Amino acid sequence: MTSERLTRFREMRKELGLTRARQPNHTVESIRDAMLRLRLQYPKAGHREMSSLLFHEENMKLVRQRRANPLRRKRFWAAGVNDLWAIDQHDKWKYKYGLALHTGIEPFIGRIQWLKIWWTNSNPRIILSYYLDVVLEGGFMPLISQSDPGNENLGVANGHTLLRHSHDSALIGTLQHRWMNEKKNIPPEISWSQLRRRFTPGFEDILDIGVNNGWNDPNILIQA
């Protein structure tokens, strides 16, 4: 590319707002307000997480120096999009605040299909409703559903299997749900770990205000 064409290309890119990663040139002062807002919500986030939050929530990209340290990776295999949905419950707030969380993850693309909070996550009918709402809204379902062993997951296991049988008669007589032993249902465990590290500390401070001042009693379901 000639210098004249390169100059024109840079001008067009600038007009379209397509700046390079090194061009924003953010300073401590330029990111100060955004950092204060994010620190209130994510008080225990590390420097890598804060950089990611600045980009995704504040549309600010910081230039980071590349390091030569090798990454340690673990592999999770999925055949493709909607090969499976992994579901899991989270009970850390269930007894402290009366709030029970539940999620469904599409691990191939890392999409959170649902993240629900209610006073219980042990009712199989409620858990099945989370799954069916996404299926009805999107018009698609996974090949396999996956969860930890537990009665709360029987609704999804049986409901999903019934839907798969209705679309493919060759599957009749088979269970289209995968039961995973404790700590083997990896995708949701990763999501819960990120939630606990990045979001929970700041949000628990807010919930504690209500509990400590008597505004919320976790033992009264109508308040939870």
Side-chain angles (χ1 to χ4, degrees):
M1 182 179 294
T2 65
S3 59
E4 182 178 351
R5 290 182 178 178
L6 181 59
T7 300
R8 178 55 184 159
F9 172 75
R10 289 173 176 170
E11 291 176 353
M12 293 173 60
R13 185 176 60 189
K14 186 175 181 180
E15 290 173 359
L16 294 172
L18 303 176
T19 58
R20 294 183 301 172
R22 295 182 179 276
Q23 288 184 346
N25 294 324
H26 287 296
T27 65
V28 174
E29 291 300 323
S30 69
I31 67 172
R32 180 179 181 276
D33 292 341
M35 288 290 289
L36 290 175
R37 288 193 298 270
L38 292 172
R39 182 54 68 183
L40 286 174
Q41 190 170 1
Y42 306 97
K44 295 187 178 181
H47 73 279
R48 292 184 179 179
E49 293 162 340
M50 290 302 293
S51 296
S52 176
L53 290 168
L54 278 171
F55 176 71
H56 290 290
E57 298 196 13
E58 299 288 341
N59 198 28
M60 302 173 70
K61 187 171 183 179
L62 303 182
V63 178
R64 295 182 297 176
Q65 183 178 1
R66 293 187 178 183
R67 299 182 179 181
N69 296 336
L71 298 175
R72 299 178 63 182
R73 299 180 182 273
K74 294 184 178 180
R75 292 182 177 179
F76 175 85
W77 292 101
V81 178
N82 291 327
D83 175 43
L84 68 88
W85 290 358
I87 67 174
D88 194 31
Q89 65 275 359
H90 188 64
D91 296 332
K92 300 296 184 182
W93 288 351
K94 192 171 185 178
Y95 306 105
K96 187 176 182 180
Y97 302 113
L99 301 174
L101 282 71
H102 196 275
T103 191
I105 307 290
E106 200 297 312
F108 189 81
I109 58 175
R111 177 183 174 85
I112 298 177
Q113 303 288 31
W114 68 82
L115 179 57
K116 301 290 187 177
I117 185 167
W118 194 236
W119 65 270
T120 181
N121 55 11
S122 301
N123 188 323
R125 293 184 179 181
I126 293 177
I127 305 306
L128 176 59
S129 73
Y130 298 157
Y131 165 85
L132 292 177
D133 285 345
V134 176
V135 172
L136 290 173
E137 181 179 355
F140 53 82
M141 60 181 170
L143 296 179
I144 296 290
S145 54
Q146 175 177 299
S147 72
D148 295 333
N151 292 334
E152 69 275 4
N153 298 314
L154 288 175
V156 170
N158 294 328
H160 172 71
T161 296
L162 179 62
L163 286 176
R164 293 286 289 127
H165 289 176
S166 66
H167 284 80
D168 188 350
S169 59
L171 297 175
I172 293 177
T174 66
L175 178 65
Q176 296 300 297
H177 183 85
R178 184 180 299 156
W179 298 106
M180 306 298 290
N181 294 329
E182 185 177 3
K183 304 301 181 183
K184 298 296 185 180
N185 194 21
I186 301 300
E189 294 294 340
I190 294 174
S191 295
W192 295 137
S193 176
Q194 293 175 344
L195 180 80
R196 292 289 302 172
R197 185 176 67 251
R198 301 174 63 180
F199 178 77
T200 296
F203 202 75
E204 282 188 347
D205 291 341
I206 299 174
L207 293 174
D208 283 336
I209 294 175
V211 174
N212 295 335
N213 286 278
W215 302 337
N216 175 42
D217 186 346
N219 297 315
I220 302 177
L221 296 181
I222 195 172
Q223 295 184 10

